[in-house]
Amino acid sequence: MMMYLLDALRGRKRVLVKENERIVALHKGELLGIYGPGEHALPNRRHSLETFRHDIGSAVFASPFEKVLFDKLPEVAARHLTQFRTARAEIAVIERDGQIHTVLAPDAKLTVWTDAGPWAVTRVDTSADLRVDPDLLRRLALATKAGLVTAATVPEGHAGLLFVDGIHVETLTPGVYGFWKAGRSAAVKVIDLKRQSLDVTGQEVLTRDRVTIRINLAAEYRVADPALAVSAVKDFADSLYRALQFAFRKTLGVLSLDQILEKKVTVDEEAAAKVKADMAAIGVEVIDIALKDVILPGEMREILNQVVAAEKQAEANVIRRREETNATRSLLNTAKVMAENPVMLRLKELEALETIAGKVERLTIHNGTGGLLNEIVRLRDE
C-alpha cells in the first residue's frame, strides 16, 4: 500500500502486463514505448498516462501509433515488432511457427509481434512467372490462404490455354495449376481434345422441285490445335455448325425430292472438302459428315404414303398373276404327261380313289374299269 502511495505522490502509476500481453504507453500524448510482461511504474501526473493493451496471440500489430513507433522509437519497435514489406512485383508468404499465416500482396506491408513467432517469409518474384509452386499451392489450399491465387484444373484428355492479361502464353497439359494475382490477370481456358459430335437439327432446305424439307445432320470432329481454334474464331463449334448448314443446303438444293428419297444422300465431295479445309484452317479436324434424317411436311408424307401403298398393291397384283400363270402352266404340263402315259393316268386315278375312300363309308365306281380319268382324257382328244 505504501508503495502505491509513494507512486501517487511521485506522479506515477503501476501497470501490470501479462505474459500474453504488450502495452503501448503514452504520457501527455507522447509515446513512452512498448512494455512487456511484468509490473511497470509509469508517469501519470494529472492522469496524463494512456495505455493500449494488445494480445500478441492475434500476432498482427494493429495500432494508429505504428508509424510513430518506427520513426521516433526505432530501437523499441525493432525489439518488439517485425515488419514485412513487398515490392511491386513480389508476393510474400509469411509463416508463423512453420504454418502459413498470411500471403502478402505486392506493394503491401504487415507488422507483427516478434514474440508471437517464430516468423519466416518466402518471397516470390512474379515479374517473370505467375505460376505457384505445386507444393506451395497444396499448402495454401490446406491453410485456406489461397485468396491471392487463381487455381485451374485441366482434366485428362483436355488442354489448358493460359492467358496472361489476355495474351496466350502457354498450353498446359492435364494437371492442377495455380497462378498469383499480382497486378496481372491470369486465366485458363480448358479445351476438350477428345473426339466429339455436333448435331445440326431441323434445318429447312428447298429442293430443286421446290419442296421444303427438314433435315438432321451430324459431324464428328476433334480439336487438333487448341490455341489456333480459340484465337482464330470466337466459337469454333459454332463455325462448324454454320459450315455444315451451308454444305448440305448446297448439296440438297440441286436435287429433287425423289432423288433425295431414292438414295442415301451425303454431302458432295467438293462441299465436304471445303468444310474440312475451312475447319482445318482454324485448328479443327472434321472426321466425318453425315445426313441423319429427312423429314417431310405432313401433307407430303400423306401423298407419299398413298404412292407407296399403290406401288405395293401393284407389285402384289403382279406377283398374284405370275403365280396364277405358273399354276395353270403346271396343270397343263401334268395333263400332257397323263395323256401320253396311260400308266401314270391309272396311278393318278388310284390316288384319287384312295383319297376319296378315306373320307366316305361306301364308294361305288361306275363306268367300268376305264375310270373317270379316261373319260376326261377322251374328252380332251375329241
Side-chain angles (χ1 to χ4, degrees):
M1 179 64 74
M2 183 62 68
M3 183 174 56
Y4 285 100
L5 182 59
L6 288 174
D7 285 338
L9 292 174
R10 293 172 183 173
R12 291 181 174 275
K13 179 181 179 181
R14 290 189 175 270
V15 179
L16 182 64
V17 181
K18 297 178 182 179
E19 195 68 45
N20 66 319
E21 292 180 331
R22 300 294 183 272
I23 67 166
V24 176
L26 283 77
H27 179 243
K28 294 183 179 180
E30 294 187 5
L31 277 171
L32 288 175
I34 299 175
Y35 297 88
E39 189 177 58
H40 305 275
L42 303 177
N44 188 35
R45 289 188 181 277
R46 297 179 183 178
H47 305 289
S48 57
L49 177 67
E50 295 179 83
T51 59
F52 299 89
R53 291 185 180 272
H54 295 266
D55 182 356
I56 66 171
S58 64
V60 176
F61 176 67
S63 171
F65 309 111
E66 177 184 342
K67 186 176 185 308
V68 179
L69 271 168
F70 280 94
D71 290 345
K72 292 188 65 176
L73 303 172
E75 293 181 359
V76 173
R79 188 163 60 251
H80 292 278
L81 302 171
T82 299
Q83 195 170 74
F84 302 101
R85 291 180 179 270
T86 53
R88 179 172 298 177
E90 186 180 54
I91 292 283
V93 180
I94 300 170
E95 298 185 26
R96 176 189 181 187
D97 196 18
Q99 302 296 318
I100 295 178
H101 178 266
T102 191
V103 180
L104 205 57
D107 283 331
K109 174 177 66 68
L110 178 68
T111 303
V112 297
W113 292 103
T114 302
D115 290 341
W119 298 94
V121 61
T122 301
R123 297 184 180 275
V124 180
D125 183 3
T126 61
S127 60
D129 190 5
L130 291 178
R131 188 175 301 191
V132 182
D133 178 79
D135 182 60
L136 179 57
L137 180 62
R138 286 190 290 270
R139 293 185 63 204
L140 290 169
L142 289 173
T144 64
K145 300 293 183 181
L148 290 177
V149 175
T150 297
T153 300
V154 181
E156 190 68 34
H158 294 68
L161 303 180
L162 173 61
F163 294 87
V164 177
D165 292 340
I167 299 173
H168 175 244
V169 296
E170 187 179 354
T171 299
L172 307 175
T173 57
V176 179
Y177 299 88
F179 304 93
W180 294 112
K181 299 175 183 177
R184 292 187 292 167
S185 172
V188 176
K189 185 177 181 63
V190 178
I191 304 297
D192 193 342
L193 300 181
K194 298 188 295 295
R195 182 166 174 162
Q196 302 178 67
S197 62
L198 177 68
D199 292 327
V200 182
T201 59
Q203 297 300 304
E204 290 192 350
V205 176
L206 186 65
T207 64
R208 189 180 65 187
D209 47 358
R210 307 192 67 79
V211 176
T212 300
I213 61 175
R214 286 190 298 127
I215 60 171
N216 296 331
L217 47 125
E220 296 285 329
Y221 74 97
R222 59 179 290 272
V223 179
D225 187 337
L228 179 60
V230 169
S231 61
V233 293
K234 182 178 180 181
D235 187 334
F236 56 82
D238 183 66
S239 297
L240 176 57
Y241 187 97
R242 296 182 184 280
L244 290 171
Q245 283 181 314
F246 174 78
F248 272 88
R249 284 178 177 172
K250 179 180 178 181
T251 299
L252 302 181
V254 297
L255 299 175
S256 67
L257 180 61
D258 288 340
Q259 289 175 315
I260 294 173
L261 296 177
E262 282 173 3
K263 59 183 179 178
K264 184 179 180 181
V265 179
T266 58
V267 65
D268 63 64
E269 293 183 3
E270 181 182 354
K274 187 175 188 315
V275 170
K276 293 180 178 181
D278 289 347
M279 298 311 296
I282 63 172
V284 177
E285 178 189 359
V286 179
I287 302 165
D288 186 34
I289 303 174
L291 177 66
K292 295 173 65 178
D293 302 299
V294 176
I295 305 170
L296 302 175
E299 61 276 9
M300 184 59 67
R301 284 200 301 271
E302 293 179 4
I303 294 172
L304 286 178
N305 287 337
Q306 293 174 5
V307 171
V308 171
E311 290 176 350
K312 295 301 180 183
Q313 184 63 43
E315 291 177 3
N317 291 337
V318 170
I319 293 171
R320 189 180 301 110
R321 286 193 295 272
R322 186 183 301 121
E323 290 177 349
E324 291 175 352
T325 301
N326 291 337
T328 302
R329 184 179 295 112
S330 178
L331 288 173
L332 180 59
N333 291 336
T334 301
K336 287 180 179 180
V337 172
M338 290 181 179
E340 296 170 357
N341 195 332
V343 175
M344 181 173 289
L345 180 63
R346 187 63 177 172
L347 289 174
K348 284 292 183 181
E349 178 185 356
L350 293 175
E351 288 179 0
L353 291 175
E354 181 181 6
T355 302
I356 296 172
K359 297 181 180 181
V360 298
E361 294 181 359
R362 178 179 296 178
L363 178 63
T364 303
I365 300 175
H366 298 279
N367 210 19
T369 58
L372 179 61
L373 294 180
N374 280 339
E375 294 296 330
I376 295 174
V377 173
R378 191 179 296 113
L379 287 173
R380 178 183 176 277
D381 292 338
E382 292 175 358

